[in-house]
Amino acid sequence: MFALALYLAIRSAWVTDDAFIAFNYSKHLALGEGLRFNAGESPPVEGYTQLGWVLLVALIERLRLEVVSATHVVEIATFLALVAVAMAATRRGSGSAAALLAGLFVATAPTSAIWATGGLGTMLFALAILVSTLAVLRASGSWSLGLAIVSTIAVTVVRFDGLWFAGLIVLGAGASGFVRADRRLVRTAITVGVAVAIGFALQTWWRVEYHGDYVPNTVRAKLGTGTWRLERGANYVLAYFLAIPTAAALALVTVVRAVRERQDRDGPLLAVSATVVLGTFVHAVVSGGDFMPMWRLLVPAVAPLAIVLGSTVVAIGRRASGGDAAALVAAALVGWVPASFGASLAPRSWFESVEFRPALAGVSESRLHSAWREQIGTRIRDARILASATGPGESIVLGAIGTTGYYTELEIHDRFGLVDRDVARLVPATPGGGPMPGHDRLAPIEFFANRRPTYLATKFYPGEHPGTPLHDAFVTTPAYATGDFVLVDIGVDAGFGIDGTLVLTRYRVAGTAADDGDPRADD
């Protein structure tokens, strides 16, 4: 089981550009500059939501390990731990066969395979939620109650929206204890709930004192009002159910079993599983979905669904026949695994009716993952080339800020507002939503005029040098003559494994179309 999980995780290993936003905070913290994206800003903007992950990556930076490879190791280790904990939880209530099935479905879930890496600590969050669930349900003495408190508070530290999931755990456990007249469980839920409230209040106090705001800036940048946001979030969840129909069936089974078997031995685990699963879907709807591939926001539901599947199949095998159980497993796998390979049982027209990512309409989750996985190497290379041609005191206006922020010393002006307090507060969301979830605010170029940025855009052209057609065409443009373009020759001996010309477009409010001087703009 673990070999299969490891193979799938390595096969899909990747890192997102957004991961480098968190990495940049971690790098600055490790260097003693504090939790800030741009050096010297005060108060530093909280452009991350995963404090626990940022702190863990800061340790990696402090040890001077290569951040992408090291975070891959940490994330895959947490993925394997998630498989192990899900199996242990299932084995305790339903036996070894159920545990094997639970492990199989956690390992092979399309969301697991892709988000076993990614650089955002997604599996760490899912693991924290599952460990907290089990700790709360099993707390019976002072030591175990302390573990329940610490693990549940940890959920809120790993990610800001962990408060929602900690609340789901406490709610599910408390409701189960009340229905079963289990005073111990009710007391545990109340105690943990109070401790979490105090812990989160202390985090909020620190956040206000350090960052000058009571919520992360990313929350302000990404969230807002409007029924269109809920509609897009609902489409996000519906698209998940179309691609992975087993998840929809298991969600229903989880709720039905939680109600029907509330007095059984597994009643508390089913109750919390149901609240976490349903709460995960509600959270995704309210958040308006996510632009990244393979439903990152729904990863916390994978382990609870797999645990319920394992125990359900074994129960059916005991009551009916082994053949019925085997047929159920086969059917579940058919509706669970194919999405990893871009396959789906639902017709394309159904997905078109629930499109939640207009800028990438018609692109499957696996195709999107593959494309971004291939692009990140080029992004890192280009950022390192940019770093060689720029330095402290210079700045640039960007949309995708991750790799450039991490690998260069440029001050970044973020058009989407993730790390820019003014953009998040002052730029209104696009009516009806932006081209992709989480990109609903886009500051116009003129917004940054009073900051006097150095550059508006940057692009590296491999193989171009003085004497090549494109390079010489740049030199003859009016924009080059007026200084709007800066051309930097990058030789093959520069250490980047490639040669070419780096084109830097200077910031000009009166001429904000970065491509106007590109000889290939009309190609």
Side-chain angles (χ1 to χ4, degrees), residues 43-356:
V45 179
E46 188 178 4
Y48 57 89
T49 52
Q50 62 276 52
L51 175 61
W53 178 243
V54 168
L55 295 176
L56 182 56
V57 177
L59 176 60
I60 290 173
E61 292 282 355
R62 187 70 175 175
L63 295 172
R64 298 185 180 182
L65 301 175
E66 197 282 313
V67 70
V68 175
S69 299
T71 52
H72 277 355
V73 171
V74 172
E75 287 187 292
I76 292 174
T78 57
F79 173 43
L80 297 178
L82 181 69
V83 174
V85 174
M87 291 177 67
T90 312
R91 182 181 295 108
R92 180 168 179 171
S94 304
S96 297
L100 287 173
L101 286 175
L104 173 65
F105 275 77
V106 173
T108 59
T111 44
S112 293
I114 287 181
W115 290 109
T117 52
L120 294 172
T122 306
M123 280 299 157
L124 178 64
F125 188 53
L127 178 62
I129 291 171
L130 182 57
V131 169
S132 170
T133 295
L134 300 178
V136 169
L137 294 179
R138 296 176 184 178
S140 58
S142 57
W143 183 89
S144 57
L145 178 60
L147 177 61
I149 291 172
V150 170
S151 62
T152 310
I153 291 177
V155 173
T156 70
V157 174
V158 173
R159 249 177 43 189
F160 176 77
D161 52 353
L163 180 64
W164 168 257
F165 288 89
L168 293 173
I169 294 167
V170 169
L171 175 64
S176 179
F178 178 78
V179 169
R180 296 163 63 89
D182 185 341
R183 294 182 179 179
R184 177 199 60 81
L185 189 54
V186 171
R187 284 196 302 269
T188 297
I190 293 174
T191 303
V192 171
V194 170
V196 167
I198 295 172
F200 194 78
L202 291 174
Q203 288 183 61
T204 303
W205 171 80
W206 168 81
R207 183 169 282 116
V208 172
E209 289 294 312
Y210 192 85
H211 289 294
D213 201 352
Y214 61 90
V215 297
N217 192 66
T218 47
V219 173
R220 295 190 184 278
K222 290 188 176 185
L223 298 186
T225 58
T227 55
W228 58 266
R229 190 180 302 277
L230 297 177
E231 180 180 353
R232 188 177 63 191
N235 285 341
Y236 178 81
V237 174
L238 289 173
Y240 173 74
F241 287 155
L242 288 176
I244 311 173
T246 296
L250 280 176
L252 180 60
V253 169
T254 301
V255 174
V256 170
R257 288 194 59 192
V259 173
R260 293 183 59 182
E261 302 173 32
R262 56 189 180 275
Q263 295 294 349
D264 293 353
R265 182 179 62 176
D266 291 338
L269 180 58
L270 290 170
V272 178
S273 295
T275 57
V276 169
V277 167
L278 294 181
T280 299
F281 297 142
V282 170
H283 172 263
V285 171
V286 173
S287 299
D290 181 51
F291 75 98
M292 295 186 186
M294 208 61 78
W295 299 281
R296 175 178 63 100
L297 296 183
L298 304 182
V299 171
V302 170
L305 290 175
I307 290 171
V308 170
L309 175 82
S311 63
T312 301
V313 169
V314 169
I316 289 175
R318 289 170 181 167
R319 296 172 185 173
S321 68
D324 292 335
L328 178 59
V329 171
L333 284 171
V334 168
W336 187 258
V337 176
S340 293
F341 305 95
S344 174
L345 301 178
R348 183 67 249 171
S349 60
W350 291 12
F351 286 97
E352 293 171 356
S353 68
V354 294
E355 184 60 64
F356 61 90

